[in-house]
Amino acid sequence: MAKHGVAFILTLALVLGVLAVTPKVVQSIGVCYGVNGNNLPSPSDVVKLYQSKGIDSMRIYFPRSDILQALTGSNIALTMGVANENLSAFASDPSAVANWVKQNVQAYPGVNFRYIAVGNEVESGNTQNVLLAMQNMNSALSAAGLSNIKVSVSVSQKGVLAGYPPSNGMFSPEATSYMTPIAKYLASTGAPLMANVYPYFAYVGNLRAQIDDINYALFTSPGTVVPDGSKAYQNQFDAIVDTFYSALESAGAGSVPIVVSESGWPSAGGTAASASNAQTYNQNLIKHVGQGTPKRPGRIETYIFAMFNENDKRGDETERHFGLFNPDQSPAYTINF
């Protein structure tokens, strides 16, 4: 799954072959800014690129002073992550969290912080640190007078979800012990659950019996692929999101909204990874998220992964080809509205 080292506010459109503004038309799409590359633009140029294309929300995966300085005064709504390696310390030491907030949030009053994501796709024993770290982060933000910033965690579809069709969704047996308390805590704070939703990985990994149809993954199926009682699913994105919603309901936290903290499609490097498929998926995603899902109609706040192709990303070759833009700021492919 795409890794790196979230609001209905962001618009994208094409002008002169580049992503550009269509103000107040599509307001549910943000873009993730990963920095795993040795040839990426400077943060100040990245912020200018966001602004010039009408992109007014951003997700980053850990604090970086040059990025935060570049964002100052931009009014770009920011989701900032806590690195997974910090979770143990943050779970056990509230003063470490308070210092992190002081250095990375309070020190930048001109940055429009929206969410703090306490971990991204956390695995193994580290999952037991997430809830305590989230609680300490909320306490630190409240003490700093910043309780308007919502605290969540970003989770993967793989390993966290179980159940099929979507109405039978639940947290997997491996994830229930930590996800159920997290879900109930989010319900108590009014924060969303952040979910990384990748029909691409479901397609190539055949995580669902119906996923042998690439049209289901690309939003291009002509009709229902998965019937589910009174609901009908024509695309995999909706099915994954609604499986998350069913899992939250099963955990006693049905009031928790979902923010899709990552979604995208690679343009090269592996099975079904092409500029054509990436363009089709991301353009259809942009068109779709204003509608919601069969289970939850309405806008879905969604972040495309990612702004740039990142040549230092670890993992499969596809991981280096999720960008909307090349490092020279030219578009990897065009997106139209």
Side-chain angles (χ1 to χ4, degrees), residues 310-325:
E310 300 170 62
N311 65 353
D312 283 343
K313 284 292 297 295
R314 297 179 180 179
D316 295 340
E317 182 62 25
T318 52
E319 294 289 334
R320 292 177 276 281
H321 299 280
F322 272 86
L324 297 174
F325 291 90

Side-chain angles (χ1 to χ4, degrees), residues 30-292:
V31 181
C32 302
Y33 172 22
V35 295
N36 290 312
N38 62 14
N39 54 359
L40 298 177
S42 68
S44 60
D45 285 341
V46 172
V47 169
K48 291 175 184 176
L49 185 61
Y50 270 72
Q51 291 174 317
S52 71
K53 310 311 174 189
I55 305 172
D56 48 10
S57 66
M58 175 190 290
R59 180 186 178 192
I60 61 176
Y61 293 87
F62 53 88
R64 224 175 75 173
S65 60
D66 54 350
I67 296 175
L68 295 173
Q69 289 166 1
L71 284 166
T72 297
S74 69
N75 205 37
I76 292 172
L78 182 65
T79 296
M80 184 164 69
V82 172
N84 291 355
E85 55 265 32
N86 290 337
L87 295 181
S88 178
F90 281 20
S92 61
D93 186 359
S95 67
V97 184
N99 287 334
W100 187 95
V101 169
K102 182 178 181 180
Q103 294 172 8
N104 299 303
V105 182
Q106 290 176 272
Y108 299 94
V111 175
N112 180 17
F113 293 98
R114 183 175 296 276
Y115 303 116
I116 302 296
V118 180
N120 180 62
E121 299 186 346
V122 182
E123 297 177 336
S124 304
N126 206 15
T127 57
Q128 302 305 318
N129 294 316
V130 174
L131 180 57
L132 285 171
M134 289 172 63
Q135 292 169 333
N136 287 337
M137 181 63 69
N138 264 320
S139 295
L141 290 169
S142 179
L146 297 168
S147 56
N148 59 302
I149 302 172
K150 295 296 186 182
V151 175
S152 187
V153 59
S154 184
V155 301
S156 167
Q157 69 202 45
K158 185 177 181 181
V160 170
L161 289 181
Y164 184 82
S167 61
N168 290 333
M170 62 188 72
F171 293 122
S172 69
E174 299 80 10
T176 297
S177 64
Y178 65 91
M179 283 304 305
T180 295
I182 287 172
K184 291 180 177 179
Y185 180 67
L186 292 172
S188 74
T189 64
L193 175 66
M194 295 183 168
N196 295 343
V197 174
Y198 282 97
Y200 173 76
F201 290 112
Y203 172 70
V204 299
N206 196 27
L207 298 181
R208 297 287 186 268
Q210 286 79 1
I211 289 304
D212 57 355
D213 180 5
I214 194 171
N215 293 311
Y216 186 52
L218 290 173
F219 297 94
T220 53
S221 293
T224 298
V225 177
V226 177
D228 185 8
S230 63
K231 308 287 191 301
Y233 290 88
Q234 197 167 340
N235 65 81
Q236 180 68 40
F237 177 88
D238 282 355
I240 296 171
V241 173
D242 278 357
T243 303
F244 269 110
Y245 273 123
S246 293
L248 287 167
E249 291 170 357
S250 296
S255 65
V256 174
I258 288 171
V259 168
V260 176
S261 44
E262 290 180 18
S263 193
W265 196 284
S267 59
T271 303
S274 69
S276 176
N277 284 344
Q279 179 187 37
T280 297
Y281 178 80
N282 283 323
Q283 180 159 333
N284 286 336
L285 178 68
I286 289 166
K287 293 177 180 177
H288 181 75
V289 294
Q291 304 171 21

